[in-house]
Amino acid sequence: MQLPSPKFFLLSIPEPHVLLITINRPKQFNALNPEANHELSGIFDWAEQTDEIWCIILTGTGGKAFCAGMDLVNWNKERENGEDKQGTESQMPPTGFGGLSNRGLARKPVIAAVDGYALGGGTEMVLACNIVVATKKSKFGLPEVKRGVTIAAGGLARLARAVSYQLVSEIALTGRFLTADEFKKYDLANEVVEDGTDIVQAALAWAKKITANSPDAVFITKYGIMLALERASMTEATHEWMASEEAVAWRNGENLAEGLAAFASKRAPVWKNPAPLRKSKL
């Protein structure tokens, strides 16, 4: 499998079927400019379409920040030069900040490995991840109101569906930072580890739990979760889920037969790459 060669990110396969994406802008605290936003969206598109990838880990380099959000210094320079397009759709992919915060019915589980600041768009990306692992020193927040901007890349809606009306109001209207322990207290993080812990290894422990399962079953389960969040009716979401192309691929896939045969034979299953869908679910 040939990995892409992006400008702002480091890509690797630390474990079978696991793609590690490392944001590599340490001088900017891994903040993303428009070019980096589109590039990361393209990486997620590629991962969604690559059968060998079953799970994705997203982290940041430098040990100080996961992602400090939008590159506001770059945005200010554009405004001073009369070239401000950063707040427009042409400068932000439809899939949201980093191509993740407003991504819809994607198949592959995403794990956030946070070691340091995850602010603004960084928190928006974290809120879109399936699993969140963070060191105790990590800080989260949506401080856009402190800079005269707003939370426009999908994170506000995700947060409003995840916590109470009063709590999302507190976080979004004051712009205050939250500690990693607070984030876990509000069920927005799965695990908080001690500072100095290798955060990628901590995330890989979760990834290996996921990739030990049938990829077809994992993908269709994530699809069902996303439909339940996106649709107004739970029952309609379930009917749509079971009638979907994703469900057809799961029913007709080799891994369903393998799982049942392995259970009947009292042996460990041997999973294969799932068959690709006929239509993209990006």
Side-chain angles (χ1 to χ4, degrees), residues 222-243:
K222 172 169 179 173
Y223 187 64
I225 294 169
M226 294 301 298
L227 276 175
L229 290 173
E230 294 283 351
R231 301 296 185 259
S233 166
M234 291 185 294
T235 54
E236 289 179 6
T238 300
H239 291 316
E240 181 180 349
W241 179 37
M242 286 292 97

Side-chain angles (χ1 to χ4, degrees), residues 7-247:
K7 179 179 178 181
F8 299 109
F9 305 91
L10 305 174
L11 305 183
S12 63
I13 306 293
E15 290 285 341
H17 307 296
V18 179
L19 173 66
L20 174 62
I21 305 172
T22 304
I23 306 170
N24 191 31
R25 303 190 80 216
K27 291 182 179 179
Q28 295 82 18
F29 283 76
N30 295 320
L32 303 184
N33 60 20
E35 185 181 358
N37 263 301
H38 282 279
E39 185 173 76
L40 185 51
S41 184
I43 292 170
F44 279 112
D45 289 348
W46 173 83
E48 282 290 317
Q49 297 165 354
T50 301
D51 299 334
E52 292 84 355
I53 294 173
W54 300 359
C55 185
I56 302 165
I57 296 173
L58 180 64
T59 193
T61 194
K64 294 182 179 179
F66 169 78
C67 174
M70 187 72 76
D71 188 342
L72 297 182
V73 173
N74 180 76
W75 191 357
N76 185 58
K77 287 180 180 178
E78 287 184 350
R79 288 181 63 84
E80 288 179 345
N81 295 330
E83 301 173 352
D84 180 19
K85 296 181 180 179
Q86 196 157 9
T88 66
E89 187 173 333
S90 64
Q91 293 298 295
M92 177 76 70
T95 45
F97 191 86
L100 180 61
S101 67
N102 204 39
R103 186 173 286 268
L105 303 176
R107 309 180 81 195
K108 313 296 173 74
V110 182
I111 301 172
V114 182
D115 185 23
Y117 291 102
L119 303 175
T123 286
E124 290 195 80
M125 289 195 295
V126 168
L127 291 169
C129 289
N130 298 97
I131 302 291
V132 179
V133 185
T135 54
K136 288 185 73 69
K137 71 177 183 181
S138 298
K139 296 288 191 297
F140 302 85
L142 298 169
E144 280 84 346
V145 291
K146 293 179 178 292
R147 299 293 178 260
V149 296
T150 193
I151 309 155
L156 187 61
R158 290 185 186 276
L159 185 62
R161 292 200 174 200
V163 300
S164 72
Y165 176 71
Q166 288 73 24
L167 183 56
V168 68
S169 297
E170 175 187 337
I171 293 169
L173 300 181
T174 69
R176 77 171 182 90
F177 293 177
L178 290 83
T179 65
D181 286 332
E182 281 183 289
F183 225 59
K184 188 172 189 303
K185 173 185 174 183
Y186 298 135
D187 295 327
L188 299 172
N190 301 83
E191 182 182 15
V192 176
V193 299
E194 293 298 324
D195 294 338
T197 301
D198 187 327
I199 196 64
V200 170
Q201 289 301 316
L204 279 170
W206 286 93
K208 287 189 281 188
K209 291 177 183 179
I210 293 172
T211 57
N213 300 318
S214 160
D216 307 60
V218 167
F219 295 171
I220 191 174
T221 300
K222 172 169 179 173
Y223 187 64
I225 294 169
M226 294 301 298
L227 276 175
L229 290 173
E230 294 283 351
R231 301 296 185 259
S233 166
M234 291 185 294
T235 54
E236 289 179 6
T238 300
H239 291 316
E240 181 180 349
W241 179 37
M242 286 292 97
S244 68
E245 182 188 349
E246 192 76 61

